[in-house]
Amino acid sequence: MFRTHTCGELRLSNSGQQTTLSGWVQRTRKMGGMTFVDIRDRYGITQLVFNQDVNANLWEQANRLGREYVIQVTGTVAERSSKNVNMETGDVEILVSQLQVLNESLTPPFTIEENTDGGDDIRMKYRYLDLRRTNVRENLELRHRITFETRRYLDQMNFLEVETPILIGSTPEGARDFVVPSRMNPGEFYALPQSPQLFKQLLMVSGFDRYFQIAKCFRDEDLRADRQPEFTQIDCEMSFVDQEDVLNLFEGMMKHLFKFVKDIDFAEAFPRMTWHEAMRLYGSDKPDIRFGMEFVELKKEVSGHDFVVFDSVPYVAGICATGCAAYTRKQLDELTDFVKKPQIGAKGLVYIRCEADGTFKSSVDKFYSNNDLKIIAAKFNAKQGDLILILAGAKIKTQKALCELRLEVGARLGLRDKNIFKPLWVIDFPLFEWDEETQRYYATHHPFTSPNLDDVPLLDSNPGDVRATAYDMVINGVELGGGSIRIHDSKLQNRMFELLGFTPEKAQAQFGFLMSAFKYGAPPHGGLAFGLDRLVSLFAGLDTIRDCMAFPKNNSGRDIMIDAPSVIDQSQLDELNLVVNIKPAK
Amino acid sequence: MFRTHTCGELRLSNSGQQTTLSGWVQRTRKMGGMTFVDIRDRYGITQLVFNQDVNANLWEQANRLGREYVIQVTGTVAERSSKNVNMETGDVEILVSQLQVLNESLTPPFTIEENTDGGDDIRMKYRYLDLRRTNVRENLELRHRITFETRRYLDQMNFLEVETPILIGSTPEGARDFVVPSRMNPGEFYALPQSPQLFKQLLMVSGFDRYFQIAKCFRDEDLRADRQPEFTQIDCEMSFVDQEDVLNLFEGMMKHLFKFVKDIDFAEAFPRMTWHEAMRLYGSDKPDIRFGMEFVELKKEVSGHDFVVFDSVPYVAGICATGCAAYTRKQLDELTDFVKKPQIGAKGLVYIRCEADGTFKSSVDKFYSNNDLKIIAAKFNAKQGDLILILAGAKIKTQKALCELRLEVGARLGLRDKNIFKPLWVIDFPLFEWDEETQRYYATHHPFTSPNLDDVPLLDSNPGDVRATAYDMVINGVELGGGSIRIHDSKLQNRMFELLGFTPEKAQAQFGFLMSAFKYGAPPHGGLAFGLDRLVSLFAGLDTIRDCMAFPKNNSGRDIMIDAPSVIDQSQLDELNLVVNIKPAK
């Protein structure tokens, strides 16, 4: 037996007991004839004591231990003279009588501490050492707890977890598929699923009623900072439900997770906001409502004052930064530089300071009298000491820029506390998005999303105004999940395909088996999917999903620890009837 | 709201209540002015009543309902005059006042009944309809229950579920990998994991202590009857454990599953048997111990009687079929034909009847006196009325044939009851297997399996005799899972690679990152993996894993429902820098 206790469980009440521990050497301190060794495992750290006077031989062995050696010790639990209140085991230490080195260790290339000296690349190459760090391990413990509680809740709600296949067929629509050549079917390829969407809808046709799966999904995209080629969804679908049923059930799931994982109770219902309202007030379909600072539209108020910047654009709007009137020139310049960054793209920033004496000071004093500014300030309910920030331009672009500015100011004001969680349902998404380039409508979600049945008459006359029965769960400005009620009526589905520019042949080629299935009694159904990686990173207070995955890939889709992908043997290629033909980059 | 109740929950106590149900039309029966419709959902079936006298219009609508139409009805729960004790809802029926057809259905290509008229191929093509059949759905409900209880047990035991990547690197050893071309890394390929073996060992190096994952695994093999290209493992690993710890913990898991899924209590410890014993007594490393009929070796007893068949071979052994002395000539011929089948490969079958009068009648009376036969029968403890069946030949081949014969006779005698479960640990597997063709040793399990430390001195002198610390859990002759204690000592690992014929370069190329990781303090560790598909099929009493998977593939690795794999667009191939070049079959 390698241990009687873990390194995290001994307490004062164990004093006098014999114990055997196994773990890693966190650090050693030699103080005269006493050597202290911290032994670490997943459960904690315990202090070991070696006394030269008691056993000189053992003490010498202890002095030779290196960082990250794997050791096994036996000894007696004793009360510490100087207790460490920061450690759960800090009241005790082990007077060691036996020591065995189970394995030696090279010196790790970075320190195994919460604040390590290792950079990103070296930590990824030695991910197995990085995972020893308490904070990284805790993220994965949190991930386990979240998936476990998700399953517990959904099981209670009569959901069945069903595994859908990973080797499926390729659908050219949407993001790129990863494909898998089939040796047994020469020249043919499987694809890895971007989501189990079609299969979960088939399971509804099969009468499974309530399905979920914590499912690996794959997208061969050029990876932005926070994307991974493989990611995990909590994928759910229900039959005989309307939007209200779905929202209630998954609001319940999120409350369950907050309660059992974070010990946070949400007594109230999550607020709901239409997509139009979210865009109008926050310029975003995933508003961070931990703080207010809603947009105020000013086009009417600012027009006709010979200020060509405001007169020449369709959209002028601003936000009010509480208590920021005292911002320095430098701070205002920083904000101006921020909105002028290429990825934000505003031309400039107009400010109005609401001074302590009731007057106003703005960057556009030339065009607006103090009374004009007072009228504007009144629209914000601005008080003395507040700062109004205004952007102008094309509507959607400016809304997006103002959204970024709002988040930036909110962050500067400390209004985006990672320990505060503000959930929100965003509903009534538009069913279609118009694409200028290809001059056609695309499905905002996917082609199976049902229109709001009240809006069906608009499908022909004004498709852009049709609301989808689609919904997103947003927490703290992060879109955690979304879904929709699906179309179960073949006629309506065919009409959707038509509007989306699918010929019947193309629709048949891509979704034929689903459309065939729907002919055999498809129930009304709907569902949603949560991004597990984002959910864990939100709960962990992380800015990236990478540190809540055990073995993430880098921005080139590469696992640098195992050096994958890599070239394969010619014999493998031959068996797959494939020739690699690398074309020079254009 | 689509329903107030499911189709499985109404009871006599609901009589008089108003209810709304949604589901599929299982069948309709018109009896004069009364029409009875069975409405079905995942939870059960409820009888609906439409009475011409009460509402002729509604009654006519009901008469037009087809099989598998999706309907919603509202009505009053009423006590049935003739109750159906075979249905949980059989005490009641619904007097329907409102009927809405939610969706129509074409006539399904086979009946949605437990005993369907659909053949395998048509059921696979319309798998979404096949899944509506109660027995198929129940297999998947069982699968859900098993995975849920597996997680519950392992969570209680402090295991963390960690997702390891699906896109990894290819390792040429072992079965064939499925590979995935990387667009971002031209000419390079990911591989899909055959198991998370290397990653779970890395997690032990990372100090995760107790890991599990219900993990999808992939093998590009030519598919035998009961193989699938993607399958699911319950994959587990623990640190600071020896074999005894692992066996106890996973015996606990299996007992937990039997208790909470099948309501079967196993009070006793599971028996253990060495691999040598299993081979000697049952000719198999996965013996079915629901019945005895152990092998008895007879070489000594049968030699020297001028029977050249027995004299010329190294191995003669038999089994005793209780009470089968009365087998007819035809039955004995059937058994002879059975053992002579090419896949079994025996040359013939010798029998000895232990007659009721105490004499013996055998197919080799010419060579053996009644007394000779009596001595043989005594070795079997055969009683009057028993039948002894004997095979002879090369040892291993004959053991395998006799194993098959034993299972066949056991089945004929009804000794292989699917409702009786007999678990067994098989331990002390040989570390190496000798391959005649390539004239070298292969790892019986994998190259990381630790030898029994007592046998290390034999590594050089007699590798074939070295026992592995490897173990299999076998239930009813099915190998449900297996694993081993791993080597954590780099020196021993290098010696293993050497014995297995890996050059240091080849070992480095294939397992370099694991070997590097082991230099940084690898703890003693071990684990095992269970085949989830087999576990579910065992619990379900199925002969194949196919019906406990939602969307299995056929023997060509093809999903005939979605028609995958398939050809992909030229543009996809171009992006992947691949050319398909199908060589004519040789």
Side-chain angles (χ1 to χ4, degrees):
Chain A
M1 197 173 53
F2 282 98
R3 61 188 175 197
T4 57
H5 297 85
T6 70
C7 298
E9 69 178 306
L10 291 170
R11 297 287 182 276
L12 207 51
S13 58
N14 300 102
S15 289
Q17 286 178 18
Q18 184 87 347
T19 187
T20 299
L21 302 180
S22 290
W24 286 262
V25 173
Q26 177 75 17
R27 60 175 191 147
T28 57
R29 280 154 297 152
K30 194 167 166 239
M31 300 172 79
M34 301 282 276
T35 293
F36 298 93
V37 176
D38 283 348
I39 183 172
R40 183 196 73 235
D41 65 13
R42 186 181 118 198
Y43 312 95
I45 289 179
T46 301
Q47 178 166 292
L48 310 176
V49 189
F50 298 83
N51 189 332
Q52 184 178 21
D53 292 342
V54 175
N55 187 334
N57 193 22
L58 200 64
W59 174 78
E60 290 210 355
Q61 279 181 52
N63 289 334
R64 284 195 299 272
L65 293 174
R67 263 171 60 208
E68 301 303 319
Y69 274 41
V70 186
I71 59 171
Q72 181 183 28
V73 294
T74 297
T76 309
V77 183
E79 182 170 1
R80 277 206 217 181
S81 50
S82 63
K83 299 190 172 56
N84 182 343
V85 292
N86 298 319
M87 282 170 69
E88 296 206 76
T89 63
D91 287 351
V92 296
E93 58 193 10
I94 312 300
L95 310 178
V96 177
S97 55
Q98 286 176 52
L99 165 66
Q100 196 190 341
V101 174
L102 298 174
N103 224 335
E104 299 186 351
S105 174
L106 298 180
T107 304
F110 51 86
T111 56
I112 312 293
E113 306 275 356
E114 285 208 24
N115 292 308
T116 180
D117 56 357
D120 269 2
D121 284 353
I122 191 102
R123 292 197 297 112
M124 282 302 135
K125 183 167 164 59
Y126 295 91
R127 181 64 169 172
Y128 47 86
L129 297 179
D130 197 32
L131 288 170
R132 281 188 193 165
R133 294 167 55 226
T134 304
N135 40 339
V136 181
R137 195 198 62 236
E138 281 174 350
N139 295 336
L140 291 165
E141 289 174 348
L142 179 68
R143 188 181 182 106
H144 165 75
R145 186 57 38 212
I146 287 175
T147 56
F148 188 79
E149 288 298 335
T150 297
R151 288 187 164 101
R152 198 161 70 87
Y153 176 81
L154 291 173
D155 179 71
Q156 280 167 9
M157 294 294 153
N158 259 326
F159 281 72
L160 295 175
E161 185 162 24
V162 179
E163 291 174 64
T164 57
I166 298 288
L167 297 171
I168 65 167
S170 187
T171 52
E173 188 79 350
R176 277 190 206 86
D177 287 325
F178 283 105
V179 297
V180 181
S182 167
R183 181 180 53 86
M184 295 220 281
N185 303 276
E188 299 190 332
F189 293 76
Y190 302 100
L192 305 181
Q194 297 184 27
S195 86
Q197 183 67 31
L198 298 181
F199 287 95
K200 73 176 174 178
Q201 294 196 244
L202 287 179
L203 286 170
M204 293 304 104
V205 174
S206 299
F208 272 61
D209 206 73
R210 295 185 161 199
Y211 144 91
F212 84 102
Q213 185 182 193
I214 300 188
K216 269 285 173 75
C217 304
F218 306 85
R219 264 178 220 169
D220 184 12
E221 290 177 302
D222 298 313
L223 301 174
R224 282 180 275 157
D226 209 23
R227 288 279 177 93
Q228 287 281 321
E230 54 180 299
F231 55 99
T232 307
Q233 282 187 354
I234 303 170
D235 190 52
C236 308
E237 196 79 5
M238 308 166 73
S239 288
F240 302 116
V241 288
D242 54 29
Q243 174 170 306
E244 196 60 30
D245 297 317
V246 177
L247 265 45
N248 286 335
L249 200 133
F250 290 98
E251 187 167 316
M253 183 177 103
M254 201 51 73
K255 287 179 174 175
H256 175 98
L257 292 178
F258 272 111
K259 183 172 177 58
F260 289 97
V261 178
K262 299 285 289 180
D263 199 20
I264 296 175
D265 273 303
F266 279 94
E268 308 288 314
F270 291 180
R272 298 181 187 185
M273 191 181 291
T274 67
W275 178 86
H276 277 286
E277 199 73 348
M279 293 306 292
R280 189 176 66 78
L281 292 177
Y282 303 97
S284 169
D285 57 5
K286 42 178 197 281
D288 182 348
I289 59 165
R290 278 174 296 186
F291 61 106
M293 223 186 275
E294 286 92 358
F295 293 7
V296 172
E297 290 179 29
L298 299 168
K299 179 65 185 167
K300 211 179 78 194
E301 286 72 15
V302 298
S303 293
H305 287 258
D306 294 331
F307 183 42
V308 67
V309 171
F310 284 173
D311 283 351
S312 64
V313 298
Y315 182 79
V316 180
I319 55 175
C320 175
T322 308
C324 295
Y327 263 30
T328 61
R329 180 81 247 161
K330 180 161 168 286
Q331 285 174 302
L332 289 168
D333 285 349
E334 279 170 11
L335 291 180
T336 305
D337 291 346
F338 176 84
V339 297
K340 287 166 92 172
K341 284 196 295 186
Q343 61 269 41
I344 300 203
K347 295 252 164 56
L349 174 66
V350 168
Y351 69 81
I352 303 172
R353 284 195 173 114
C354 310
E355 304 285 9
D357 61 3
T359 64
F360 299 91
K361 180 91 196 80
S362 90
S363 53
V364 288
D365 285 350
K366 236 197 297 188
F367 304 100
Y368 299 95
S369 69
N370 215 50
N371 199 47
D372 294 337
L373 297 175
K374 192 175 180 179
I375 289 167
I376 292 171
K379 287 215 69 178
F380 287 93
N381 288 318
K383 292 183 204 60
Q384 292 169 12
D386 290 352
L387 174 71
I388 292 166
L389 300 166
I390 299 170
L391 297 180
K395 183 169 178 180
I396 291 179
K397 206 180 148 191
T398 307
Q399 281 181 329
K400 283 184 182 164
L402 192 56
C403 167
E404 295 297 331
L405 178 62
R406 173 179 173 271
L407 293 175
E408 172 67 18
V409 174
R412 284 169 177 245
L413 290 173
L415 301 173
R416 302 180 70 192
D417 182 342
K418 286 182 176 174
N419 296 308
I420 290 173
F421 297 93
K422 291 286 181 190
L424 172 73
W425 285 110
V426 178
I427 57 173
D428 289 349
F429 279 77
L431 186 61
F432 300 106
E433 276 174 345
W434 178 256
D435 183 61
E436 281 298 332
E437 198 180 322
T438 51
Q439 288 284 306
R440 71 171 177 92
Y441 281 110
Y442 284 86
T444 307
H445 282 72
H446 56 60
F448 315 114
T449 299
S450 176
N452 185 317
L453 295 183
D454 294 340
D455 295 352
V456 167
L458 300 173
L459 276 175
D460 292 316
S461 60
N462 208 345
D465 282 354
V466 176
R467 291 167 297 169
T469 48
Y471 31 80
D472 275 0
M473 183 181 283
V474 175
I475 302 184
N476 295 1
V478 177
E479 183 213 318
L480 281 185
S484 63
I485 298 297
R486 327 299 182 184
I487 299 168
H488 67 278
D489 174 37
S490 304
K491 288 185 211 84
L492 185 56
Q493 185 66 66
N494 287 336
R495 205 155 151 216
M496 275 293 287
F497 281 139
E498 214 176 290
L499 282 162
L500 292 168
F502 284 80
T503 60
E505 294 71 32
K506 199 178 153 197
Q508 182 61 35
Q510 278 189 39
F511 309 114
F513 66 94
L514 189 67
M515 285 159 61
S516 300
F518 272 37
K519 291 179 183 148
Y520 291 94
H525 62 289
L528 83 183
F530 291 93
L532 176 65
D533 309 294
R534 283 192 201 166
L535 180 60
V536 178
S537 66
L538 179 86
F539 271 40
L542 295 171
D543 293 318
T544 150
I545 61 170
R546 204 167 288 183
D547 264 347
C548 66
M549 307 175 91
F551 300 101
K553 292 184 176 60
N554 73 9
N555 283 351
S556 315
R558 182 166 282 285
D559 182 329
I560 55 178
M561 177 185 73
I562 63 171
D563 195 26
S566 61
V567 294
I568 57 174
D569 285 359
Q570 186 61 43
S571 61
Q572 284 177 285
L573 289 170
D574 291 346
E575 277 197 324
L576 296 170
N577 299 285
L578 288 180
V579 175
V580 171
N581 177 25
I582 300 176
K583 287 167 287 292
K586 278 170 202 163
Chain B
M1 196 173 54
F2 282 97
R3 61 187 175 198
T4 56
H5 297 84
T6 70
C7 299
E9 69 178 305
L10 291 170
R11 297 288 182 275
L12 207 50
S13 57
N14 300 102
S15 289
Q17 287 177 16
Q18 183 88 344
T19 188
T20 299
L21 302 180
S22 289
W24 286 262
V25 172
Q26 178 75 18
R27 60 176 190 147
T28 56
R29 279 154 297 150
K30 194 167 166 236
M31 300 173 77
M34 302 280 277
T35 293
F36 298 93
V37 176
D38 283 348
I39 183 172
R40 183 196 73 233
D41 66 12
R42 184 183 119 199
Y43 311 96
I45 289 179
T46 300
Q47 179 166 292
L48 310 176
V49 188
F50 298 83
N51 189 333
Q52 184 178 21
D53 292 343
V54 174
N55 187 334
N57 193 23
L58 200 65
W59 174 76
E60 290 212 354
Q61 279 181 53
N63 288 335
R64 283 194 299 271
L65 293 174
R67 261 169 62 205
E68 301 304 319
Y69 274 40
V70 186
I71 60 171
Q72 180 183 27
V73 294
T74 297
T76 309
V77 184
E79 182 170 1
R80 277 206 218 181
S81 52
S82 63
K83 300 191 172 55
N84 182 343
V85 292
N86 298 320
M87 282 169 72
E88 296 206 77
T89 63
D91 287 351
V92 296
E93 59 193 8
I94 313 299
L95 311 177
V96 177
S97 55
Q98 286 176 52
L99 164 66
Q100 195 190 342
V101 174
L102 298 173
N103 225 336
E104 299 186 351
S105 174
L106 299 179
T107 303
F110 51 87
T111 55
I112 312 294
E113 307 273 356
E114 286 207 25
N115 291 310
T116 180
D117 56 357
D120 269 1
D121 283 354
I122 191 100
R123 292 197 298 111
M124 282 302 135
K125 183 168 165 59
Y126 294 92
R127 182 63 168 172
Y128 46 86
L129 297 178
D130 197 31
L131 288 170
R132 282 189 191 163
R133 294 167 56 226
T134 305
N135 40 338
V136 181
R137 196 198 61 237
E138 281 175 349
N139 295 336
L140 291 165
E141 289 175 348
L142 179 69
R143 188 180 181 105
H144 165 75
R145 187 56 39 212
I146 287 175
T147 57
F148 187 78
E149 289 298 334
T150 297
R151 288 187 164 102
R152 197 161 71 86
Y153 176 82
L154 292 173
D155 179 70
Q156 279 167 7
M157 294 293 153
N158 260 326
F159 281 73
L160 295 174
E161 186 162 24
V162 179
E163 290 174 64
T164 57
I166 297 288
L167 296 171
I168 65 166
S170 186
T171 51
E173 187 80 350
R176 277 190 205 87
D177 287 325
F178 282 106
V179 297
V180 181
S182 167
R183 181 180 54 85
M184 295 221 278
N185 302 277
E188 299 191 331
F189 293 75
Y190 302 100
L192 305 182
Q194 297 184 27
S195 86
Q197 183 67 32
L198 298 181
F199 287 95
K200 73 175 174 178
Q201 294 196 243
L202 287 179
L203 286 170
M204 294 303 104
V205 174
S206 299
F208 271 60
D209 206 75
R210 294 184 164 202
Y211 144 93
F212 83 102
Q213 184 182 193
I214 299 188
K216 269 284 173 76
C217 304
F218 305 86
R219 265 179 220 168
D220 184 12
E221 289 178 302
D222 298 315
L223 301 174
R224 282 179 275 155
D226 209 23
R227 287 279 178 93
Q228 287 280 320
E230 53 181 298
F231 55 98
T232 307
Q233 281 187 356
I234 303 170
D235 190 52
C236 307
E237 197 78 6
M238 308 167 73
S239 288
F240 302 116
V241 289
D242 54 28
Q243 173 169 307
E244 196 63 29
D245 297 317
V246 178
L247 297 192
N248 286 336
L249 201 132
F250 290 97
E251 187 166 317
M253 182 177 105
M254 200 51 73
K255 286 178 174 176
H256 175 98
L257 291 178
F258 271 111
K259 182 172 177 59
F260 289 97
V261 178
K262 299 286 288 182
D263 198 20
I264 297 175
D265 273 303
F266 279 94
E268 308 289 314
F270 292 180
R272 298 181 188 185
M273 192 181 291
T274 67
W275 179 86
H276 277 287
E277 199 71 349
M279 293 305 293
R280 189 175 66 79
L281 293 177
Y282 302 98
S284 168
D285 57 4
K286 41 178 198 280
D288 183 348
I289 59 164
R290 278 174 296 186
F291 61 105
M293 223 185 275
E294 286 91 357
F295 293 7
V296 171
E297 290 179 30
L298 300 168
K299 178 66 186 169
K300 211 180 79 194
E301 287 74 14
V302 297
S303 294
H305 287 258
D306 295 330
F307 183 42
V308 68
V309 171
F310 284 174
D311 284 351
S312 64
V313 297
Y315 181 79
V316 180
I319 54 175
C320 175
T322 308
C324 295
Y327 263 29
T328 61
R329 180 82 245 162
K330 180 160 169 286
Q331 284 172 305
L332 288 169
D333 285 349
E334 279 169 10
L335 291 180
T336 306
D337 290 345
F338 175 84
V339 297
K340 287 167 93 173
K341 284 196 295 185
Q343 62 268 42
I344 300 202
K347 295 252 164 55
L349 175 66
V350 168
Y351 68 81
I352 304 173
R353 285 195 172 113
C354 308
E355 305 284 11
D357 61 3
T359 64
F360 299 90
K361 179 92 195 76
S362 91
S363 51
V364 287
D365 284 351
K366 235 198 296 186
F367 306 101
Y368 299 95
S369 71
N370 217 50
N371 199 48
D372 296 335
L373 296 175
K374 191 175 182 179
I375 289 166
I376 292 171
K379 286 215 69 178
F380 288 93
N381 288 320
K383 292 182 203 61
Q384 291 170 13
D386 291 351
L387 175 72
I388 292 165
L389 300 165
I390 300 169
L391 297 181
K395 182 168 178 180
I396 292 180
K397 206 181 149 191
T398 307
Q399 280 181 329
K400 283 185 180 163
L402 191 56
C403 168
E404 295 298 331
L405 178 64
R406 174 179 173 270
L407 293 174
E408 172 68 18
V409 173
R412 284 170 177 245
L413 289 172
L415 300 173
R416 302 180 70 190
D417 183 342
K418 285 181 178 175
N419 296 308
I420 291 174
F421 297 93
K422 291 287 181 190
L424 171 74
W425 285 110
V426 178
I427 57 174
D428 289 349
F429 278 78
L431 187 61
F432 301 105
E433 277 174 344
W434 178 255
D435 182 62
E436 282 297 333
E437 199 179 322
T438 52
Q439 288 285 306
R440 72 172 178 92
Y441 281 110
Y442 286 85
T444 307
H445 282 73
H446 55 60
F448 314 115
T449 299
S450 176
N452 185 317
L453 296 183
D454 294 341
D455 294 353
V456 167
L458 300 173
L459 276 175
D460 293 316
S461 60
N462 210 345
D465 283 354
V466 176
R467 290 168 298 169
T469 48
Y471 31 81
D472 276 0
M473 183 182 283
V474 175
I475 302 183
N476 294 2
V478 177
E479 183 213 317
L480 281 185
S484 63
I485 299 296
R486 327 299 181 184
I487 298 169
H488 67 279
D489 174 37
S490 303
K491 289 184 210 82
L492 185 56
Q493 185 66 67
N494 287 336
R495 204 154 152 219
M496 275 294 286
F497 282 139
E498 213 177 290
L499 282 162
L500 291 168
F502 284 80
T503 61
E505 295 71 32
K506 198 176 154 199
Q508 182 60 36
Q510 278 188 40
F511 309 113
F513 66 94
L514 189 67
M515 285 159 61
S516 300
F518 272 37
K519 290 179 184 149
Y520 291 95
H525 61 289
L528 82 183
F530 291 94
L532 176 64
D533 309 294
R534 283 192 201 164
L535 180 60
V536 179
S537 66
L538 179 86
F539 271 40
L542 295 171
D543 293 318
T544 150
I545 61 171
R546 204 168 288 185
D547 264 346
C548 65
M549 306 175 91
F551 299 102
K553 293 184 174 60
N554 74 8
N555 282 352
S556 315
R558 183 167 279 286
D559 182 329
I560 56 177
M561 177 185 73
I562 63 171
D563 196 25
S566 62
V567 294
I568 59 174
D569 285 359
Q570 186 62 41
S571 61
Q572 283 177 286
L573 289 171
D574 290 345
E575 278 197 324
L576 296 170
N577 300 286
L578 288 180
V579 175
V580 172
N581 178 24
I582 301 176
K583 287 167 287 291
K586 278 169 204 164

